[in-house]
Amino acid sequence: MRRLAVLVIVLFLMAPLTSATPYWFKEGIYAKYVARGWLSIDLNTSTGNVTYYCPRVEFTWRVLNVSDDKARLSLLLLGFNCTREAYSTLSLEEARALLRKYQERFNFTGGDCLEVPITGGNVTVCEESYYERTAQRSFGLTIMEGEGRLLNKSYVPENFGRAGVVEIDLITGKLYVNGTPAGGNFLWAENPANVTGLEILPGLKIETVKMINSTAMTYYGDFNAPVYMAHTNMVSLDNRTMGKDVILYDGSSGLAIAFFTPFSPLWKALGVRSAMIQDTEFAEEHEEEIKESNKMPPFGLVLAETNIDFTKPAELPDEGPSRTAIVAVVGIAIVLGVLVLWRWRR
């Protein structure tokens, strides 16, 4: 009988797990977040690092399909009316050769730096550097620490966009980029009060979760209390930028309704090294309302648009076990019956 008991346990453990997703989760849903202010996004490119400074940024995720316990999400990051800074390095030999061309062009022979007016701007030529400034752009070459450093700034407003796809394991919450584990999903939580310990990136975990008994304001609308604010530990994942992630969850639906995430596995899927996206315009526009009420202003990227149905389904009456459960129980009963009969005949 001990063997039979073990078999029963094994059979129940073999039953499929139930996906821990919110009640509203399904194919086709999306959520768009907006931030307005002075926002910076660092991108990795084949020629170096590029930073965009934008007054408006939009981020959208959309569930493309759900198969078994996996979901594929499309990601879209857009910046509007941005200025751009590009940084790259040259070998010492390449930098010397390029600097020599600029020095010869403006007849610089050494000594003190030479300033030369050009159309719409000016040029400064020195022994170890060259700078060019106009109303549309600025360019600089500096030789230091055994290498050449190039800086190219464009002041002409431009838009940019980055798109990508990630896969999320709906059981574990792990997020994959091109099949490689990249971190943990923080876009929603079945129970936002219980996300402590979630590893968003290696070395970046949610340390504290605080319930806030205030109405949270967003571009989409107000979310009634309670809401939950999650904080990660402070890290410097790129050896340049120090920061921590802060996420605000709606207590009823579990959806992240605002988040400030300098570091994120979602950015990795989009080729973004780090992002300082902090909305400041909303609080300024609603300053009086915030002062006169118990409402909480948003931060970071703020929910602005979604097709999620936040209406919770009514509690269904107890209709007995499901067909799947009945089949499983019948199967177990048949196996046990065969084993008992086999033992009895012996």
Side-chain angles (χ1 to χ4, degrees):
M1 292 302 293
R2 183 178 300 173
R3 292 180 180 176
L4 294 180
V6 172
L7 179 61
V8 171
I9 295 173
V10 171
L11 289 172
F12 273 108
L13 289 177
M14 290 174 62
L17 297 172
T18 302
S19 177
T21 55
Y23 62 90
W24 44 261
F25 187 84
K26 62 180 180 179
E27 288 185 6
I29 60 170
Y30 76 92
K32 177 189 289 187
Y33 300 79
V34 170
R36 297 181 300 148
W38 188 242
L39 322 166
S40 66
I41 299 171
D42 294 334
L43 305 179
N44 294 318
T45 70
S46 58
T47 58
N49 298 321
V50 176
T51 301
Y52 283 94
Y53 296 96
C54 312
R56 180 185 176 94
V57 169
E58 295 180 0
F59 171 73
T60 304
W61 60 262
R62 184 184 302 270
V63 179
L64 297 176
N65 65 282
V66 179
S67 178
D68 296 328
D69 296 320
K70 301 291 191 300
R72 291 178 67 247
L73 273 65
S74 66
L75 309 176
L76 180 63
L77 180 66
L78 300 174
F80 301 90
N81 296 319
C82 312
T83 58
R84 174 173 47 84
E85 293 185 4
Y87 303 87
S88 58
T89 58
L90 298 174
S91 68
L92 183 59
E93 293 75 15
E94 292 173 320
R96 290 284 184 200
L98 182 58
L99 180 59
R100 192 176 304 114
K101 290 182 179 179
Y102 290 123
Q103 291 171 338
E104 292 174 353
R105 179 187 301 175
F106 294 98
N107 298 318
F108 178 79
T109 57
D112 294 337
C113 294
L114 175 66
E115 291 194 11
V116 181
I118 60 174
T119 303
N122 62 77
V123 164
T124 302
V125 189
C126 304
E127 291 188 355
E128 298 293 311
S129 63
Y130 170 83
Y131 293 99
E132 179 181 323
R133 304 173 189 85
T134 68
Q136 289 76 35
R137 64 184 291 267
S138 63
F139 171 81
L141 168 62
T142 303
I143 296 177
M144 58 187 305
E145 298 180 354
E147 65 179 11
R149 300 181 182 180
L150 290 173
L151 167 63
N152 199 331
K153 295 184 180 181
S154 172
Y155 304 118
V156 179
E158 60 181 283
N159 300 335
F160 86 92
R162 285 292 179 103
V165 175
V166 297
E167 184 179 70
I168 296 177
D169 187 315
L170 299 177
I171 298 297
T172 65
K174 290 185 178 180
L175 188 147
Y176 297 83
V177 177
N178 296 324
T180 302
N185 172 40
F186 63 86
L187 293 174
W188 61 79
E190 187 181 28
N191 181 6
N194 193 32
V195 293
T196 303
L198 171 65
E199 188 173 52
I200 296 177
L201 283 170
L204 183 70
K205 293 184 178 181
I206 292 180
E207 284 190 335
T208 61
V209 178
K210 181 181 179 181
M211 185 184 77
I212 300 176
N213 193 27
S214 297
T215 297
M217 306 172 73
T218 71
Y219 288 111
Y220 177 80
D222 291 350
F223 286 82
N224 294 328
V227 293
Y228 293 86
M229 184 177 292
H231 292 254
T232 69
N233 55 308
M234 183 75 73
V235 294
S236 178
L237 296 181
D238 61 359
N239 296 320
R240 290 181 54 190
T241 307
M242 285 289 295
K244 65 190 300 184
D245 289 359
V246 184
I247 307 159
L248 186 67
Y249 290 100
D250 171 38
S252 177
S253 66
L255 177 69
I257 56 177
F259 51 88
F260 174 73
T261 52
F263 312 108
S264 164
L266 304 177
W267 299 155
K268 181 177 180 180
L270 296 170
V272 175
R273 186 179 61 187
S274 63
M276 302 299 288
I277 305 177
Q278 175 68 292
D279 186 279
T280 57
E281 297 293 322
F282 188 100
E284 292 181 5
E285 293 174 353
H286 297 80
E287 183 177 1
E288 291 302 320
E289 182 180 359
I290 293 169
K291 287 181 179 179
E292 296 172 359
S293 66
N294 189 35
K295 293 183 179 181
M296 174 184 175
F299 58 86
L301 278 160
V302 184
L303 183 67
E305 183 181 319
T306 183
N307 63 351
I308 292 174
D309 183 0
F310 292 106
T311 305
K312 283 190 173 181
E315 292 291 334
L316 297 176
D318 186 5
E319 298 178 352
S322 67
R323 182 177 180 181
T324 302
I326 293 174
V327 171
V329 171
V330 170
I332 293 173
I334 292 174
V335 172
L336 291 178
V338 170
L339 288 175
V340 170
L341 181 61
W342 174 72
R343 287 178 59 86
W344 178 76
R345 287 183 174 178
R346 291 183 62 188

